[in-house]
Amino acid sequence: MITERNLEIFEEMLMIHSPSKEEKEMADYVINFLENLGAEIHLDESQHTYGGNSPVIFAKIKGDVEGEGVSLNAHTDVIQPNKDLKIIKKDNIWSSDETTTLGGDDKAGLAAILTAVEYIVHNKISHEDIYVIVTPGEEQGMLGARNINWKNVYQHINPSKNLIVADNAGKANKVAYQAPTCYRFNIEIRGRKAHAGIEPEKGINAIQVASKVISEMPLLRIDEETTANVSQVTSDFPNNVVPDKCVFTGEIRSHKKEKVDQLLEQYESIVKKYTEDYTIETRCDYPALSSQDDLQFVKDIVAAYETVGVKAEPQIIGGGSDANFFAEEGFNSAIIGVGMELVHTTEEYLDTNEMILTTKALINYLSKD
């Protein structure tokens, strides 16, 4: 019963086209689903801040057991191209025909959550308060989670700060509890124009200066918890002009914010070796995620997986997700896998057996009978 219902819900959602910022139909599906379970719904209508068309959905299913409860999170948007999806099923492996993405990221996570909650409610299983938080725009910089109006949310609903995020790539055997902060940097080097063929000695080639700077910058793997990368260099001038501007951009990720600050200071000191005419701009793409209770919440989730025969392990990851922004708000987040592989590509596929294992583990975690 669980298996069939899990696959049915998953397929229904896969067939709803929901690219980032265009997720209203998907949001309506989720709202209707949760309302049919008797959930109290609050919609955070912050999508206008980034041009989206669907809210962050907060739902509460009141429990009959005292306790702090738990929050469950997944996102509604998928990576393009995804329109006109054709699902290919080979036993437990579901994929597209490779002309589109599948959308298992993150509809598999959402299907696991909705199936588990529905099972708990329909079978009248005792449980603490269950909160479901469904976000839009995750694939374009966690737009939904980033822009939540928390002050307004707390006036209507106060979700549990223990949060399970069903959005980890890979099998259902990893429970991620730590992820880095990510800072983007943009460095503009300004030189001096001159005719490159007649009087080049009067010019200062901004590309040449930038290349010297980049060659000295610590990049790639800095240490076990820090990485850095330059991804784009831009300077567009005719061949006969010494370029007077060059811009290069990149990112720094680290599990410790102070290491990001140290690298940025080092980068600026390198720039100053070669020029005083520059600008450095930085922006936090997302904050860091870490366990707030010495992994006790993670251990409880691992124990729930053990009840369905999965030997799960705590995991440190190198990417960002909605969990990072929830962590900034004080949530104690853990990210679980649902069997999605080769995500963000048209070769994406999902092992439905892994999704079903996570669904059953969630049911066991939620159940207080």
Side-chain angles (χ1 to χ4, degrees):
M1 173 61 180
I2 295 174
T3 296
E4 290 77 9
R5 185 59 176 145
N6 206 168
L7 295 177
E8 179 183 18
I9 293 170
F10 180 47
E11 186 165 3
E12 285 177 354
M13 292 192 296
L14 284 180
M15 300 315 297
I16 299 173
H17 183 50
S18 58
S20 302
K21 300 184 181 181
E22 299 176 27
E23 300 147 82
K24 186 179 185 305
E25 185 179 355
M26 190 67 237
D28 289 344
Y29 175 97
V30 173
I31 292 167
N32 182 67
F33 190 103
L34 292 168
E35 285 180 337
N36 287 339
L37 297 180
E40 170 192 341
I41 304 288
H42 171 69
L43 304 179
D44 176 67
E45 303 277 4
S46 298
Q47 64 269 27
H48 65 277
T49 62
Y50 58 86
N53 70 355
S54 59
V56 178
I57 303 165
F58 287 86
K60 177 182 179 180
I61 299 170
K62 186 167 179 55
D64 57 354
V65 177
E66 290 294 321
E68 60 186 322
V70 68
S71 295
L72 309 172
N73 166 251
H75 64 86
T76 51
D77 60 325
V78 296
I79 289 289
Q80 293 277 55
N82 186 252
K83 191 174 177 57
D84 300 321
L85 166 68
K86 295 179 178 62
I87 303 172
I88 307 298
K89 303 176 185 178
K90 295 181 180 178
D91 297 322
N92 56 298
I93 302 300
W94 287 24
S95 65
S96 71
D97 62 0
E98 298 194 359
T99 64
T100 70
T101 59
L102 175 66
D105 177 11
D106 186 29
K107 290 177 181 176
L110 191 50
I113 289 171
L114 296 182
T115 305
V117 173
E118 182 184 71
Y119 184 88
I120 291 287
V121 172
H122 283 181
N123 289 279
K124 297 180 171 57
I125 297 171
S126 291
H127 61 88
E128 297 177 9
D129 290 345
I130 300 170
Y131 299 86
V132 179
I133 307 173
V134 181
T135 47
E138 194 271 351
E139 300 292 6
Q140 289 195 1
M142 290 75 82
L143 293 173
R146 183 192 296 268
N147 289 286
I148 292 172
N149 182 345
W150 285 107
K151 182 179 179 180
N152 183 59
V153 167
Y154 292 140
Q155 293 176 4
H156 299 274
I157 197 166
N158 191 18
S160 168
K161 286 300 196 285
N162 280 335
L163 176 69
I164 298 175
V165 179
D167 190 22
N168 202 0
K171 295 183 177 181
N173 64 352
K174 296 287 191 300
V175 181
Y177 66 92
Q178 185 170 317
T181 183
C182 178
Y183 273 73
R184 187 177 306 187
F185 60 83
N186 185 95
I187 301 177
E188 179 177 308
I189 303 295
R190 293 180 288 272
R192 185 166 58 241
K193 282 184 182 177
H195 194 292
I198 299 174
E199 46 185 9
E201 59 279 347
K202 292 184 178 180
I204 298 176
N205 189 309
I207 298 175
Q208 185 178 37
V209 175
S211 67
K212 291 177 180 178
V213 171
I214 295 170
S215 70
E216 291 192 25
M217 290 169 56
L219 293 171
L220 304 181
R221 175 64 64 184
I222 307 301
D223 58 37
E224 62 181 8
E225 55 188 8
T226 309
T227 62
N229 187 44
V230 170
S231 59
Q232 186 175 36
V233 180
T234 305
S235 186
D236 188 10
F237 289 83
N239 289 337
N240 62 351
V241 176
V242 175
D244 67 345
K245 186 171 80 169
C246 181
V247 178
F248 59 94
T249 61
E251 68 166 29
I252 301 172
R253 301 187 188 201
S254 183
H255 294 277
K256 289 190 172 63
K257 169 65 164 53
E258 55 267 31
K259 291 191 174 183
V260 174
D261 294 337
Q262 290 168 3
L263 265 181
L264 289 172
E265 289 176 6
Q266 188 174 357
Y267 288 175
E268 185 160 15
S269 68
I270 294 169
V271 171
K272 286 181 176 179
K273 284 177 58 177
Y274 296 101
T275 182
E276 290 295 325
D277 197 359
Y278 69 92
T279 302
I280 297 181
E281 297 176 346
T282 63
R283 187 188 82 182
C284 179
D285 274 356
Y286 46 84
L289 164 70
S290 62
S291 171
Q292 298 181 18
D293 63 355
D294 295 324
L295 296 184
Q296 185 55 56
F297 181 47
V298 170
K299 290 174 183 176
D300 291 343
I301 298 171
V302 167
Y305 272 113
E306 289 176 353
T307 66
V308 295
V310 175
K311 184 175 175 54
E313 299 175 351
Q315 181 189 34
I316 297 173
I317 58 176
S321 70
D322 283 345
N324 293 64
F325 283 96
F326 285 113
E328 185 178 46
E329 183 56 28
F331 285 77
N332 187 30
S333 303
I335 313 170
I336 59 175
V338 286
M340 57 177 87
E341 304 284 357
L342 301 181
V343 296
H344 296 192
T345 74
T346 55
E347 289 75 43
E348 176 193 2
Y349 67 91
L350 186 101
D351 185 338
T352 59
N353 287 345
E354 298 295 320
M355 177 180 66
I356 292 162
L357 285 170
T358 283
T359 301
K360 292 179 177 179
L362 283 175
I363 290 170
N364 290 343
Y365 181 87
L366 297 171
S367 174
K368 301 304 177 185
D369 277 349

